[in-house]
Amino acid sequence: MMSWHDQPFSEALTRFGTRVEQGLDENGARQRLARYGPNRLPEPKRAGPLARFARQFHNVLIYVLMAAGTTTAMLGHWIDTAVILAVVMVNAIIGFVQEGKAESALAAIRDMLAPRATVLRDGRRRTVPGEDIVPGDIVIVEAGDRIPADLRLCETRGVKIEEAVLTGESVPVDKATGPVAADAPLGDRRSMAFSGTMVAAGQGRGIAIATGADTEIGRISGMIADVPSTETPLIRQMAVFAKWLTVFIVGFSALILFFGLTLGGYGFTELFMALVGLSVAAIPEGLPAILTVTLAIGVQGMARRNAIVRRLPAIEALGSVSVICSDKTGTLTRNEMTVAGVITANHAYRVTGTGYAPHGGFVLDGAEARVADHPVLTELGRAALLCNEADLVGAGDQWQVIGDPMEGALVAFACKAGFEPDAERARQPQTDAIPFDAQHRFMASLRHDHDGHATIFVKGAPERILAMCRTQRIKDGTDAPIDADYWREQAATVADQGQRVLAIAVKPTHGDHGELHFGDVDTDLTLLGLVGLIDPPREEAIEAVRECRAAGIGVKMITGDHAGTAAAIGRQLGLANTATVMEGAEIDTLDAEQLRQRVAEVDVFARTSPQHKLRLVEALQDGGAVVAMTGDGVNDAPALKRADIGIAMGQKGTEAAKEASEIVLADDNFATIAAAVKAGRTVYDNLKKAIIFLLPVNGGESLSLVAAILLGLTLPITPLQILWVNMVSSVLLAMTLAFEPAERGVMARAPRPASEPILSPFVLWRVGFVSVLFMAGIFGKFALAQAQGSSVEEARTIAVNTLVVMEIFYLFSVRYLGEPSLTLRGLFGTRPVLIAITAVTALQFLFTYAPFMEAFFDTRPLSLLQGLQIVLVGVAVLVILELEKRAMWAWRDRRGSAPHGKSAQARG
């Protein structure tokens, strides 16, 4: 596709067959609309509710359960079938409700296109729907308009356009009609106006050179559609876990089937029902529900911290994030320009206060400077206010600018210098003005007071204003010859700090001066000083960066802004590597492998396009990093979607950015990310505890059944009784682990590797050891009950209750994997633990003594003595596990591992 920013606008007029004064004729516009299509983005295909519901069954563990349910139905065991299929449906419904992953980013970008636009048709101004704009249309824009298509500008009168949503540029860009370099990045194409951006000031005309999907915003839309969604580490690990567990269950069941038919003398139906029991025992049916609830509780906790989690697994994935890539404007910074410094002929002042709030003061040589003692500051504040068309509205710390952001910052500066804007402007009303233009690079305002005096106030680019000045104002209020070298040196110093520099000058004139011309300001101005403006870092972002680095998380800033500004902000934020800034042009020269190596060495990236941001995220992922990407603009959307975790700003973020993200920060506060990482790590720790809790229960059940089959004994627990334990007591008890607080030192450890398996050596040992304990308890109590004369039904009831009691005592142990559980804090537990134990105890009484439960589960009532014996088994399990903990700690201490008292994660 041809580029137009480096071509004269006359070339575009010729190419598209139109004229600036005439525009297209209506007939030609209709033909082009038929040829190019409407000026809107194509609709993506979306999965319907039925397809999304069907996806919930796409899990190998669910396949095993469905196969077991189907076979039991074929054998006529309808109760077993109904219970198994009910478990499957419950899991599917939970997944369907929590998923809701509608890809709305493209719809959000479509909404950014202008609904109406002003064009020239047949020489007349016409207002047409935005989707009717066609290539070749002459589009008229003015302050407040949203650009409806990509335009090659052919007339500009003080046009400034806010392009932050596309480029990350923190201030409106001055536009001109002259061509720019062919390799100019998006933010430097001053001869173009891009679809979806906003006109901040001025008026202009341009020829539409691209519409719909061919615009820059359309290309970003295409990039979002082409970017594959990533799975979180937990989802990947759970998929691997499910596959291996399925392979184990199917393989082991096949061996048992072969053994039972050839050597055990079992009938097929009897043996198959035993294998159904084994499958039901081995599959942690409650795990999907536990996973969902644990994530949901983490989501609720994050909502209280002003972070809205749109997709549940995202909260856990934050726990494994190793790199956070952040946009600058509006994310790490306030997206509010502030006067940070003032240079006069004799002094350099630091200005306090942030944003547009008119509160703050001045610091000179480390001490507060009183404005009354520095008359040049007063004059500079007055000139900044009177050569200005912006206003501030608000109260307290919440202020907004009406007009140009840099002019709004100058109004706030004037307020800090002691001026009340409305009163001062009324005292010296404006008579005439020369508006700012990119060609002459200054603005001038002629003002008269009520005593007949007139003054011209001028502000603009330092090099331009210096050429117009003859004198400079010094500290005693008199004028001295201009020292151009001093001012150039000071301007360079301020610019090196990443600040935008403006020079402010004055010129007295006669009282009957009524019109302002360029010749009135070309010479004989008096320079008052320089002001440095910057979009400052959020104070809380500086602390958040420090906390993230302490947690082993790298922070990288990726912005469309200038390199000098990016480097200065990076230094103020405390990023690790700020000596080198990589620009988008350099990224274009690197292949994938070179970029993967370089991206690890650089923390500040400037003048980047959406494609650059996407490549940087992919390069980090190729290097093994788990990447979180934060941003607020349309230009961030593709990278937000590609990252492992996309985090959008809620207040100042575009809808496109929000819909491409998994997490939205309602307070636009980067510091919330550090809290989110802590919550993510806590969620993963609690999920791991839940797995360590659930798998031994399934393991103990499975080993009991296998032992019975291999030894030719009666099954100690039936498949339906196993489902009762797995879906009722196990789930209720395991859910309490979702409420566990964060481990000590959770933010002092490095991120866990994305490849770290759920079944680590520690987890495998603990699952195996506790499974054997549970098998011994189940089988031992079942055999003892039969030896004491109990019926099979009564012995099975004892075995089930023994299993549940062992679960309860095991819960106390698993809550503190790295600390002793036999403490007052450990034994009393949290409120959810006590509620769950009470509920499980009540349900077990119902299971044991209710007549209708006997019909379902073939249970029998137990005596008080039998109940006490069951409780003693649970106590024994807790004592054995505490001894095992101490033995493990001693063994690890001998090997030089984590010392006693470290977090459970360090031990596991």
Side-chain angles (χ1 to χ4, degrees):
M1 184 176 179
M2 184 174 181
S3 63
W4 292 103
H5 58 276
D6 58 336
Q7 302 291 323
F9 68 80
S10 58
E11 179 69 23
L13 293 173
T14 302
R15 172 73 178 272
F16 289 100
T18 189
R19 289 183 294 166
V20 174
E21 305 83 7
Q22 191 73 14
L24 297 174
D25 60 74
E26 286 291 351
N27 186 51
R30 282 194 296 270
Q31 292 175 355
R32 295 188 187 205
L33 186 61
R35 176 183 172 188
Y36 293 105
N39 179 32
R40 60 171 180 254
L41 302 180
E43 291 272 357
K45 292 184 179 180
R46 302 184 184 278
L50 287 177
R52 287 198 293 118
F53 184 70
R55 280 204 299 263
Q56 309 309 315
F57 298 93
H58 184 51
N59 181 301
V60 289
L61 290 177
I62 297 297
Y63 294 159
V64 173
L65 281 177
M66 290 172 67
T70 301
T71 308
T72 53
M74 293 171 61
L75 296 174
H77 296 264
W78 297 110
I79 294 179
D80 300 73
T81 301
V83 174
I84 292 172
L85 294 182
V87 169
V88 171
M89 289 301 295
V90 166
N91 281 327
I93 291 170
I94 291 174
F96 176 75
V97 170
Q98 71 90 15
E99 187 185 56
K101 294 180 180 177
E103 293 293 342
S104 302
L106 300 180
I109 293 180
R110 283 194 297 275
D111 291 342
M112 293 188 65
L113 298 181
R116 308 288 292 179
T118 302
V119 299
L120 277 179
R121 297 265 176 94
D122 294 319
R124 297 174 180 234
R125 292 169 65 111
R126 303 281 179 85
T127 299
V128 300
E131 64 179 24
D132 288 351
I133 300 290
V134 295
D137 258 325
I138 300 298
V139 181
I140 301 171
V141 296
E142 56 187 21
D145 287 348
R146 193 182 295 277
I147 303 295
D150 283 2
L151 309 179
R152 174 60 173 90
L153 295 172
C154 47
E155 284 183 14
T156 59
R157 290 187 295 279
V159 173
K160 293 185 177 185
I161 297 181
E162 295 178 358
E163 297 182 341
V165 295
L166 273 180
T167 66
E169 188 83 35
S170 52
V171 295
V173 178
D174 300 309
K175 293 297 182 177
T177 58
V180 298
D183 60 351
L186 204 63
D188 292 338
R189 297 178 185 177
R190 299 185 181 274
S191 59
M192 299 290 296
F194 297 109
S195 178
T197 59
M198 292 287 292
V199 181
Q203 296 177 330
R205 295 184 182 190
I207 177 172
I209 52 90
T211 59
D214 294 329
T215 61
E216 287 296 329
I217 203 170
R219 280 194 277 276
I220 294 175
S221 172
M223 288 170 59
I224 296 175
D226 293 338
V227 172
S229 298
T230 57
E231 289 183 326
T232 66
L234 177 69
I235 298 302
R236 292 194 294 266
Q237 292 166 0
M238 290 300 292
V240 172
F241 167 71
K243 288 177 183 177
W244 280 110
L245 184 59
T246 302
V247 169
F248 173 79
I249 292 170
V250 173
F252 199 69
S253 297
L255 287 175
I256 297 297
L257 182 63
F258 174 78
F259 174 85
L261 291 176
T262 57
L263 302 176
Y266 288 96
F268 177 80
T269 300
E270 178 188 8
L271 185 59
F272 187 81
M273 288 307 298
L275 291 179
V276 167
L278 176 61
S279 300
V280 169
I283 295 175
E285 294 89 355
L287 189 56
I290 297 294
L291 173 66
T292 300
V293 169
T294 304
L295 293 174
I297 291 169
V299 166
Q300 291 172 1
M302 285 312 304
R304 290 191 290 271
R305 294 182 175 92
N306 292 311
I308 301 164
V309 181
R310 299 182 61 247
R311 298 180 179 107
L312 285 184
I315 184 67
E316 174 278 330
L318 275 171
S320 61
V321 163
S322 57
V323 176
I324 297 175
C325 294
S326 178
D327 181 39
K328 176 183 73 70
T329 306
T331 306
L332 291 167
T333 66
R334 299 172 61 92
N335 197 17
E336 296 178 356
M337 296 299 291
T338 300
V339 174
V342 175
I343 306 293
T344 65
N346 302 101
H347 299 299
Y349 304 87
R350 181 171 62 85
V351 185
T352 61
T354 56
Y356 300 125
H359 314 304
F362 302 90
V363 176
L364 177 63
D365 298 328
E368 182 180 355
R370 294 179 64 248
V371 176
D373 299 332
H374 300 266
V376 179
L377 264 183
T378 302
E379 293 187 65
L380 199 56
R382 179 184 289 111
L385 174 64
L386 297 180
C387 188
N388 197 314
E389 295 181 348
D391 286 303
L392 296 179
V393 294
D397 293 329
Q398 300 296 319
W399 290 80
Q400 292 181 323
V401 62
I402 299 176
D404 183 88
M406 283 206 296
E407 291 198 336
L410 292 175
V411 174
F413 160 65
C415 293
K416 295 171 187 177
F419 291 97
E420 200 289 311
D422 291 341
E424 187 62 25
R425 285 169 170 168
R427 196 178 72 80
Q428 296 191 66
Q430 181 170 283
T431 307
D432 199 9
I434 298 175
F436 185 91
D437 188 270
Q439 293 178 335
H440 56 254
R441 297 187 298 159
F442 70 84
M443 171 189 176
S445 175
L446 171 62
R447 291 184 176 262
H448 289 74
D449 65 16
H450 300 292
D451 297 324
H453 304 108
T455 308
I456 302 172
F457 300 95
V458 186
K459 74 171 187 289
E463 61 274 18
R464 182 71 176 94
I465 301 298
L466 276 175
M468 300 158 64
C469 291
R470 184 171 59 85
T471 58
Q472 63 189 35
R473 190 68 43 87
I474 58 178
K475 62 183 178 181
D476 62 2
T478 62
D479 295 341
I482 191 78
D483 183 354
D485 290 339
Y486 165 81
W487 291 108
R488 291 190 187 98
E489 180 182 342
Q490 292 298 323
T493 300
V494 174
D496 286 343
Q497 297 171 7
Q499 298 178 20
R500 296 171 186 270
V501 189
L502 284 178
I504 299 178
V506 296
K507 182 181 182 179
T509 186
H510 50 86
D512 57 356
H513 193 156
E515 293 185 359
L516 194 57
H517 303 285
F518 283 95
D520 298 326
V521 295
D522 269 347
T523 59
D524 297 334
L525 299 185
T526 298
L527 184 62
L528 297 178
L530 306 175
V531 294
L533 300 101
I534 197 167
D535 179 14
R538 296 171 178 266
E539 294 178 6
E540 61 272 20
I542 297 173
E543 174 61 24
V545 168
R546 186 200 63 77
E547 188 173 0
C548 287
R549 291 185 60 190
I553 300 169
V555 180
K556 297 183 184 292
M557 183 171 68
I558 307 175
T559 178
D561 216 334
H562 296 278
T565 304
I569 296 296
R571 287 191 294 270
Q572 294 177 47
L573 286 166
L575 300 185
N577 304 310
T578 58
T580 302
V581 178
M582 180 182 286
E583 297 195 43
E586 182 181 351
I587 296 174
D588 287 333
T589 66
L590 303 177
D591 61 27
E593 179 59 26
Q594 291 171 324
L595 184 60
R596 186 183 66 80
Q597 295 174 359
R598 286 283 287 145
V599 75
E601 304 165 356
V602 179
D603 284 345
V604 181
F605 302 86
R607 306 311 276 170
T608 55
S609 68
Q611 182 63 42
H612 295 142
K613 294 185 178 187
L614 185 58
R615 284 195 65 199
L616 289 170
V617 169
E618 290 173 340
L620 287 164
Q621 290 173 328
D622 289 344
V626 177
V627 181
M629 173 77 191
T630 75
D632 60 354
V634 176
N635 57 325
D636 300 317
L640 286 169
K641 185 178 177 185
R642 181 66 180 88
D644 296 278
I645 297 294
I647 305 172
M649 302 297 110
Q651 293 181 1
K652 295 182 179 177
T654 62
E655 287 303 310
K658 295 175 192 175
E659 296 299 337
S661 302
E662 285 79 22
I663 296 175
V664 178
L665 303 185
D667 57 359
D668 284 14
N669 192 338
F670 183 86
T672 305
I673 297 174
V677 169
K678 181 177 181 180
R681 292 185 175 189
T682 302
V683 165
Y684 183 80
D685 288 350
N686 291 345
L687 281 173
K688 198 164 187 177
K689 289 177 184 178
I691 290 170
I692 293 173
F693 175 80
L694 286 174
L695 291 189
V697 176
N698 297 103
E701 295 165 347
S702 302
L703 289 177
S704 299
L705 297 181
V706 169
I709 294 171
L710 294 178
L711 297 175
L713 302 176
T714 304
L715 296 182
I717 308 179
T718 68
L720 277 184
Q721 291 170 343
I722 290 171
L723 276 175
W724 166 265
V725 173
N726 288 1
M727 292 303 295
V728 179
S729 61
S730 294
V731 169
L732 280 175
L733 294 173
M735 277 187 181
T736 65
L737 296 171
F739 296 90
E740 289 296 300
E743 296 277 359
R744 288 200 291 263
V746 70
M747 288 297 284
R749 66 188 190 224
R752 75 177 191 276
S755 58
E756 177 185 276
I758 291 178
L759 299 180
S760 64
F762 167 77
V763 173
L764 289 173
W765 157 256
R766 174 54 66 93
V767 169
F769 179 70
V770 180
S771 294
V772 171
L773 281 182
F774 275 37
M775 180 196 71
I778 295 168
F779 223 99
K781 286 297 295 177
F782 178 75
L784 180 62
Q786 284 196 307
Q788 291 175 343
S790 297
S791 66
V792 171
E793 292 77 16
E794 186 178 52
R796 283 175 170 165
T797 305
I798 290 172
V800 172
N801 280 284
T802 301
L803 174 58
V804 172
V805 168
M806 288 191 294
E807 282 188 293
I808 292 172
F809 281 91
Y810 180 45
L811 177 67
F812 286 102
S813 175
V814 84
R815 288 181 62 228
Y816 299 104
L817 295 176
E819 302 174 44
S821 296
L822 293 176
T823 62
L824 285 177
R825 183 176 67 138
L827 291 177
F828 279 100
T830 60
R831 187 165 175 264
V833 167
L834 298 178
I835 291 172
I837 290 174
T838 301
V840 167
T841 303
L843 287 169
Q844 279 307 117
F845 272 99
L846 189 71
F847 174 86
T848 305
Y849 298 105
F852 69 89
M853 296 298 273
E854 178 181 345
F856 269 106
F857 296 102
D858 211 12
T859 56
R860 298 293 184 272
L862 303 179
S863 67
L864 177 61
L865 179 60
Q866 288 172 320
L868 291 174
Q869 290 175 345
I870 291 171
V871 172
L872 287 176
V873 174
V875 173
V877 166
L878 179 59
V879 171
I880 292 171
L881 288 174
E882 287 301 290
L883 294 174
E884 179 261 353
K885 277 186 191 177
R886 295 180 183 277
M888 288 288 292
W889 296 341
W891 177 68
R892 291 191 178 194
D893 287 344
R894 284 197 300 271
R895 295 182 60 203
S897 295
H900 177 68
K902 287 292 179 87
S903 72
Q905 190 70 17
R907 296 197 178 278

